[in-house]
Amino acid sequence: ITGQAGSGKSYLSQRFGDYVTASGGVFLSAKFDQLKQARPLSALASAFNDYCATLFRGNSGNEGAAALASELRSRLRNDDVFYLTKIIPNLVYILGGNCFGLEECNDCVNAQQRLQFLMCQFVEVMTISSSVSIAVHLDDLHNADDASIGVINQLVFTSKSTQRIFFLASSREGAIMRKMLANLDHFQVPHMQIKMDDLDELAINKTISELLHLPPRLVRPLSSIAHHKTRGNALFFSRWMMSLCKEGLLQPSLSRRRWVWDDEEIRRTKVPDDVAMFFRNSIHKLPNDVQQALSIMACFGASLDGELTESLERALPMQLFTPLNVAVSEGLLDKINGQYRFCHDCIQEAAYDMIIPEEKCLHHFQHGLSLATLYLAEMSQGEDSDANLFAAVTQLNLGGPAALQSREESSTVSTLNLSAGKKAMEMSDFKAAYSFFDNGISFLQKKHWQQHYELSFELFCLATKCALANGDFVSLKLLSEQVLKYARVLEEKLPVLYYSICALTFTAQFAEAAEKIEAILSQLGETLPEQTSSSEMLSIVEETLVRLENYSVSELKDLKRMDNSVKKITMLFLARLHHCLFLINPAKQPIVTTKMVELTLSHGMCETSPLAFALFGSMLGKLANIEKGYQYTKLAKQLVDENTFYESSGVVIASATQLFCYVEPVQAVVPLFIEACERSMAAGDAASACLSMMYYCNEAYISGLVLEKLEEKCSEARELMKQLGHFAALSHLVIIERHLQSLMGSSWGGDHHSPEEEIEEANPHVIFYSLVYSLYNNFVFRKYCNTKSVLLQFLAHNRVDWTLMFGQSECTYIFGLTLFWIFRESKEQHWKDAAVKAKEAMHGWTKSSKWNFEHKFFLLDAEENFCDGNFAQAKMLYEKAIKSAKGHRFVNGEALACELAGYFYLELGEKSTAKEYLVKAHERYVMWGALGKAAALNQEIERNS
């Protein structure tokens, strides 16, 4: 619902809310307030907090509360629940159990995404567990903060379960509403826009006629006056009519049994030019104490709850309840569940404008100082009210440094901002936290580093951390320069150095990040060798493995917690370095991985240790020791499942699952990538979440998932990546999607590339990935010349690394099949030699997982025997490949094996047998959903019939 102020948006929404509740539904209202933007998500959180309170009040025998608690407990970890209860306090009463906190962790990347993810999870659970209809009113959406817009976008555009919610937004027209409407159109979300215009004279005439129960012709003169004076503004018109009654200009006549008025007398009354001035005049007619109470309330926003009103009475000190109740009786305020609310934002603006503009800052500051004094007194007595702290600090910050009366106030206000920022960080609200820290810094006086070092250091460090979490790399650079300039020792600089390194990796400056990390590690006494031969690398890995084997799995799980803060952050630096090296210099990865394991064994377990074991296990798998590698990747997953290694759990599961695919049936293991994505989102690690979804799509494709279902998953993943702005993962996903479209026989339906995606296409890893799928596509569609051309490019871009990804097995498989084909056409021996090596690698993997690799090994072996002229052996192996693929549920593998068997029999001249296999392949491709490939194969069948 859009329209200008006073056009009736809120009234229409409230009437709709009455209809919903009268029908047995739930109507939640989130009112966005420009003066409360220091706490993003507060409006949404307040609405959901009210919902929990409603459920709790009827908790005895309330199935809704029990269902909500059960679903939340099953879906979320204790850590997730802890963060949710910080922003939705009444949830504690629904859950009824302890919600465990977390250890401090420096890796706060994308923490705002964590908060948005958890809010969305709560809403999804709320809809699933509720047996009644739910409507959510987004009131004054034009005042919404960025974090709330992010949650709304995620709920409306990407969450399927929230299709059960009716969203109602009321907003003045502007950039936020225009963008929202454009997105609704783009994502094809069903919606309706109601535009509220001013009332014309005919509408006013009809309204007055119905209101006074008189014919339209009798009230036409009054309607004309009303339209002229109020310009048809609905709010202005309704309040003007009420004022006529109060002033006796419109009154009932008992003798005439109707309403009466004097047109000329009403026409002579002076009315302000706009509704704001009208309300200002109305407020000026009230007693002084009511005017003062309204102006104080207006300083705090659109509403004032009972607890804060009581605190203000004690802090100011002055009476507030009594005058505010008078304002309620005058129709200027509503009082709902003990909370005072302005009936309209125009009334709030009018009350706020009663303060002299030059004195507004001083008023805010004095209110904040009074509340802060009360807060500090309560804290000294063991009481700690977060609401009073946030309210006090918000008022102080609205006042600003110009309102300071003394130098002592400066450090007090900065300290209060520091406390508020820490509280916001506990809620994972890093945008609000940054605002508090930034304001705290602005209140500091000259020479603050010398006079208030601890306060300055903590404000700047935490502000840097929040800038990283919010993706504000410009502020991060400026803040970190100050810390590095004034910090007294290297240990104090380390957190800020780490945040700076993270910023480099997020902006794809991997080489610079790696160089700086190695320099920092050298200062910490962890120097890495410049050059290391392959044999030396293998020796380092073997030494680490020998040391690890001195511990049982239970002993590794029971390692003490790492208590050396320098070693903890060293582990974080090493993890970042490993990520950089994977992209720019994979040959050095073993040094970093083994160093992380060594530090864990020597100094204890920390947040990054499970990742160290997952990477080490993957490296052992690459060295053909899959059994041992599997042991350590299983350990890594057990550690994140059984401990509070919250931040790293998603990336650990994704890394470990890559090796699980070499041991366990891939169809059963692939869903772990979805779990990894959800855990990463819950931890706020959007980058890892997007990569996990990309891995899922790739590995699900290999597993033989029906292509239509896979296409749906790819579409969901693409929207997630676009929303989170992760173009590296999106570039990989686009390659998969285009291959799917080719197999399915439909044209590419994705968007054109953005500049960010084009940048990512220059990434060597993306180029190699693109060549792999191009090779597969040309091989599957039997384009010999293209296949050979792509193969040469593939060999030129092939790289050696120490990480075993499941996609490498598929790459080896297609590589081997392609090489045998090219050998048969060209008779060049080097192609066959390379193909045999691929077959031998597949044979090795078959030993670790017969389920996943046996059919691929049989098919490669059949192709080799075909090349060697061992036709009887080849026939037997093709049959084995087909039978194994079917038995292990690889419909894609069965289709390809049947097709290649068909070509084999065509080569032998056995056309009828060849047709049988090709027809069977066609059936399997159709079953898989590869209709494009099936159509191409059908043409091949017709040509050879």
Side-chain angles (χ1 to χ4, degrees):
I1 306 176
T2 59
Q4 64 178 357
S7 58
K9 303 183 298 296
S10 297
Y11 177 77
L12 180 59
S13 302
Q14 288 163 8
R15 290 295 299 272
F16 174 74
D18 294 340
Y19 168 79
V20 171
T21 51
S23 305
V26 173
F27 187 76
L28 304 175
S29 184
K31 186 173 180 64
F32 297 98
D33 189 339
Q34 199 165 13
L35 286 178
K36 292 185 179 178
Q37 287 206 357
R39 294 191 65 190
L41 297 180
S42 59
L44 290 171
S46 175
F48 301 142
N49 203 43
D50 290 344
Y51 176 75
C52 289
T54 302
L55 279 184
F56 178 67
R57 281 196 291 269
N59 201 20
S60 54
N62 189 327
E63 293 180 2
L68 179 68
S70 175
E71 186 67 26
L72 276 175
R73 286 291 190 193
S74 65
R75 183 181 289 215
L76 301 178
R77 293 153 56 98
N78 280 339
D79 309 324
D80 301 333
V81 173
F82 166 78
Y83 281 122
L84 264 180
T85 56
K86 283 289 185 179
I87 54 176
I88 307 176
N90 287 334
L91 189 57
V92 171
Y93 304 117
I94 299 292
L95 295 168
N98 292 324
C99 300
F100 301 103
L102 298 172
E103 292 185 356
E104 174 68 9
C105 178
N106 285 313
D107 199 0
C108 62
V109 180
N110 290 310
Q112 196 68 40
Q113 292 292 347
R114 168 171 63 201
L115 196 60
Q116 291 179 17
F117 172 78
L118 291 178
M119 286 284 278
C120 292
Q121 287 287 294
F122 174 79
V123 175
E124 290 187 18
V125 169
M126 181 177 78
T127 59
I128 291 168
S129 59
S130 175
S131 58
V132 298
S133 302
I134 297 177
V136 177
H137 178 210
L138 308 171
D139 196 11
D140 287 342
L141 188 63
H142 53 274
N143 287 330
D145 53 277
D146 291 340
S148 295
I149 293 295
V151 170
I152 294 164
N153 285 341
Q154 197 165 331
L155 287 172
V156 174
F157 302 128
T158 65
S159 177
K160 288 189 175 180
S161 33
T162 51
Q163 289 175 357
R164 298 175 58 190
I165 294 184
F166 184 88
F167 287 97
L168 174 67
S170 54
S171 171
R172 297 181 191 177
E173 293 180 348
I176 288 179
M177 184 51 70
R178 284 195 297 272
K179 189 170 183 181
M180 179 69 70
L181 290 169
N183 284 336
L184 289 167
D185 290 331
H186 176 75
F187 290 104
Q188 298 181 329
V189 177
H191 64 282
M192 175 199 301
Q193 182 184 7
I194 300 172
K195 189 172 181 180
M196 305 292 285
D197 291 319
D198 288 336
L199 302 171
D200 59 20
E201 191 169 333
L202 185 63
I204 287 180
N205 180 251
K206 184 177 180 182
T207 303
I208 294 178
S209 171
E210 292 178 358
L211 189 68
L212 303 185
H213 297 278
L214 291 171
R217 62 180 177 78
L218 290 181
V219 299
R220 191 166 290 121
L222 178 60
S223 303
S224 178
I225 298 169
H227 185 262
H228 175 73
K229 289 187 177 290
T230 65
R231 297 174 182 80
N233 182 277
L235 178 65
F236 198 173
F237 166 67
S238 65
R239 294 288 171 162
W240 181 75
M241 290 291 290
M242 290 169 64
S243 72
L244 292 181
C245 291
K246 284 185 179 181
E247 294 168 13
L249 297 174
L250 176 66
Q251 54 188 335
S253 169
L254 295 178
S255 60
R256 299 180 64 183
R257 297 184 179 182
R258 51 162 282 190
W259 289 86
V260 294
W261 63 91
D262 185 325
D263 291 336
E264 288 305 316
E265 192 174 353
I266 292 175
R267 189 176 282 112
R268 284 195 299 270
T269 59
K270 292 183 179 181
V271 177
D273 291 336
D274 57 40
V275 68
M277 182 64 72
F278 177 84
F279 281 123
R280 251 191 317 274
N281 291 349
S282 300
I283 293 171
H284 273 300
K285 295 175 183 178
L286 298 172
N288 288 336
D289 63 331
V290 178
Q291 293 183 43
Q292 189 178 6
L294 286 172
S295 67
I296 290 172
M297 178 177 166
C299 287
F300 286 82
S303 62
L304 200 63
D305 63 44
E307 289 183 11
L308 185 55
T309 306
E310 186 180 342
S311 295
L312 281 169
E313 276 200 342
R314 287 187 290 139
L316 292 175
M318 63 173 288
Q319 279 283 325
L320 284 176
F321 282 108
T322 301
L324 289 178
N325 286 333
V326 172
V328 171
S329 65
E330 291 291 327
L332 297 172
L333 300 179
D334 292 323
K335 189 175 183 181
I336 303 170
N337 296 327
Q339 183 186 61
Y340 294 99
R341 298 179 186 176
F342 282 104
C343 292
H344 198 276
D345 53 0
C346 288
I347 302 174
Q348 179 196 348
E349 290 167 11
Y352 189 61
D353 287 342
M354 289 173 59
I355 306 170
I356 299 170
E358 294 77 15
E359 295 180 2
K360 285 181 178 178
C361 289
L362 191 59
H363 277 255
H364 282 298
F365 193 82
Q366 290 300 329
H367 297 332
L369 209 56
S370 299
L371 268 178
T373 304
L374 177 67
Y375 167 76
L376 293 172
E378 290 176 340
M379 197 169 65
S380 66
Q381 298 171 5
E383 300 175 18
D384 188 1
S385 170
D386 289 356
N388 283 350
L389 173 62
F390 285 125
V393 173
T394 300
Q395 291 298 306
L396 291 168
N397 293 339
L398 287 169
L404 286 170
Q405 302 295 310
S406 67
R407 293 183 65 87
E408 291 72 23
E409 284 181 351
S410 162
S411 58
T412 300
V413 175
S414 293
T415 302
L416 287 166
N417 268 292
L418 178 63
S419 299
K422 287 179 176 179
K423 296 276 188 186
M425 286 177 72
E426 286 179 12
M427 301 175 191
S428 200
D429 192 344
F430 282 74
K431 285 194 175 180
Y434 178 82
S435 175
F436 289 127
F437 296 138
D438 188 47
N439 277 293
I441 290 169
S442 72
F443 279 98
L444 292 172
Q445 301 288 306
K446 290 181 179 179
K447 297 184 179 181
H448 59 87
W449 281 103
Q450 292 79 16
Q451 296 171 1
H452 299 285
Y453 176 81
E454 286 76 14
L455 175 61
S456 301
F457 176 78
E458 202 166 2
L459 279 169
F460 274 86
C461 275
L462 292 176
T464 307
K465 180 176 183 177
C466 292
L468 173 66
N470 299 329
D472 183 359
F473 301 130
V474 174
S475 296
L476 184 148
K477 186 174 185 295
L478 295 172
L479 291 162
S480 61
E481 285 172 354
Q482 287 288 299
V483 177
L484 297 176
K485 179 179 179 180
Y486 291 104
R488 293 167 179 168
V489 293
L490 175 62
E491 285 75 7
E492 292 183 340
K493 299 178 182 180
L494 290 176
V496 167
L497 286 170
Y498 177 70
Y499 307 145
S500 301
I501 294 296
C502 289
L504 289 174
T505 61
F506 298 157
T507 51
Q509 299 176 69
F510 301 113
E512 184 181 348
E515 184 180 342
K516 289 190 173 182
I517 292 172
E518 292 198 43
I520 294 166
L521 290 172
S522 180
Q523 288 181 276
L524 295 173
E526 303 291 350
T527 305
L528 304 179
E530 289 291 330
Q531 297 289 337
T532 309
S533 65
S534 295
S535 59
E536 289 174 321
M537 290 282 194
L538 290 171
S539 178
I540 292 171
V541 173
E542 187 60 36
E543 288 173 11
T544 305
L545 181 58
V546 168
R547 187 176 176 192
L548 267 173
E549 289 184 328
N550 289 325
Y551 296 83
S552 66
V553 171
S554 60
E555 286 173 334
L556 288 171
K557 285 184 182 180
D558 292 337
L559 283 174
K560 67 171 185 175
R561 282 299 183 99
M562 191 179 288
D563 54 12
N564 185 321
S565 60
V566 174
K567 296 300 179 186
K568 281 185 179 180
I569 201 163
T570 300
M571 289 284 284
L572 289 171
F573 279 119
L574 287 167
R576 286 283 159 195
L577 181 58
H578 188 280
H579 175 65
C580 295
L581 294 177
F582 176 74
L583 296 167
I584 62 171
N585 188 8
K588 289 184 70 173
Q589 285 179 287
I591 300 172
V592 177
T593 303
T594 52
K595 177 69 75 174
M596 291 170 72
V597 174
E598 294 286 345
L599 283 174
T600 297
L601 296 179
S602 300
H603 299 279
M605 198 75 70
C606 69
E607 179 76 31
T608 322
S609 297
L611 180 60
F613 289 120
L615 295 174
F616 189 75
S618 178
M619 187 167 59
L620 291 178
K622 188 74 174 181
L623 295 172
N625 193 348
I626 289 180
E627 183 181 353
K628 280 291 179 187
Y630 181 65
Q631 176 184 328
Y632 291 114
T633 51
K634 288 290 282 186
L635 169 65
K637 186 171 188 304
Q638 288 168 5
L639 286 170
V640 297
D641 285 343
E642 297 170 9
N643 294 279
T644 55
F645 297 126
Y646 182 78
E647 304 289 343
S648 63
S649 61
V651 69
V652 168
I653 291 172
S655 299
T657 303
Q658 293 288 350
L659 193 65
F660 294 171
C661 291
Y662 282 87
V663 180
E664 303 173 29
V666 65
Q667 294 93 338
V669 171
V670 161
L672 284 175
F673 288 112
I674 301 291
E675 181 185 345
C677 173
E678 291 174 351
R679 289 215 194 177
S680 291
M681 284 297 291
D685 189 350
S688 294
C690 291
L691 287 172
S692 293
M693 281 307 297
M694 186 270 289
Y695 292 145
Y696 171 83
C697 294
N698 189 67
E699 272 58 284
Y701 167 74
I702 297 170
S703 75
L705 182 67
V706 174
L707 294 184
E708 189 176 355
K709 290 182 180 178
L710 180 56
E711 187 183 35
E712 289 178 9
K713 282 294 182 183
C714 286
S715 180
E716 290 175 19
R718 175 155 39 93
E719 295 307 329
L720 176 70
M721 292 168 189
K722 285 168 68 175
Q723 184 187 352
L724 299 177
H726 199 287
F727 296 102
L730 184 57
S731 295
H732 287 76
L733 184 70
V734 164
I735 295 165
I736 301 172
E737 286 189 295
R738 284 179 171 163
H739 178 61
L740 289 185
Q741 296 292 335
S742 181
L743 287 173
M744 297 173 75
S746 52
S747 59
W748 166 243
D751 300 331
H752 292 296
H753 279 194
S754 66
E756 292 90 342
E757 291 173 67
E758 291 171 7
I759 291 169
E760 285 299 336
E761 285 188 335
N763 184 322
H765 198 268
V766 176
I767 293 172
F768 179 73
Y769 200 73
S770 177
L771 287 170
V772 170
Y773 269 96
S774 180
L775 182 67
Y776 194 6
N777 205 59
N778 283 292
F779 172 77
V780 167
F781 284 93
R782 310 305 287 175
K783 299 175 182 177
Y784 177 77
C785 293
N786 288 356
T787 302
K788 190 170 181 180
S789 172
V790 172
L791 181 62
L792 292 171
Q793 295 179 62
F794 172 83
L795 291 170
H797 283 84
N798 201 7
R799 56 188 227 140
V800 177
D801 60 51
W802 293 76
T803 305
L804 186 62
M805 311 290 281
F806 186 57
Q808 292 170 11
S809 68
E810 188 70 5
C811 178
T812 301
Y813 177 48
I814 298 302
F815 182 58
L817 292 174
T818 304
L819 289 170
F820 281 129
W821 182 31
I822 290 175
F823 167 73
R824 287 198 300 274
E825 298 293 330
S826 69
K827 305 304 180 186
E828 296 174 16
Q829 184 62 35
H830 66 94
W831 296 120
K832 184 189 173 190
D833 293 341
V836 170
K837 287 182 180 177
K839 188 198 80 168
E840 290 170 352
M842 193 62 64
H843 186 241
W845 292 326
T846 302
K847 293 175 183 176
S848 66
S849 177
K850 182 179 175 181
W851 182 285
N852 293 337
F853 301 110
E854 184 187 62
H855 69 283
K856 296 178 181 180
F857 169 68
F858 283 148
L859 190 55
L860 285 167
D861 205 6
E863 288 286 288
E864 182 184 7
N865 278 276
F866 181 12
C867 292
D868 292 342
N870 300 327
F871 299 142
Q873 183 71 6
K875 288 180 180 180
M876 179 189 69
L877 288 167
Y878 281 122
E879 274 303 315
K880 280 189 171 184
I882 294 166
K883 184 178 179 182
S884 178
K886 182 177 182 179
H888 297 136
R889 303 175 191 171
F890 290 94
V891 65
N892 51 342
E894 188 183 357
L896 184 58
C898 287
E899 183 182 5
L900 294 186
Y903 295 138
F904 165 73
Y905 281 104
L906 276 177
E907 195 72 24
L908 296 185
E910 300 179 26
K911 285 194 172 184
S912 60
T913 306
K915 185 177 181 179
E916 288 177 15
Y917 279 103
L918 292 175
V919 167
K920 189 176 180 181
H922 180 274
E923 291 172 356
R924 294 300 178 268
Y925 279 125
V926 170
M927 189 183 298
W928 187 29
L931 302 183
K933 169 59 186 172
L937 185 58
N938 197 48
Q939 293 177 1
E940 186 72 31
I941 294 169
E942 290 175 358
R943 273 197 302 269
N944 290 282
S945 294

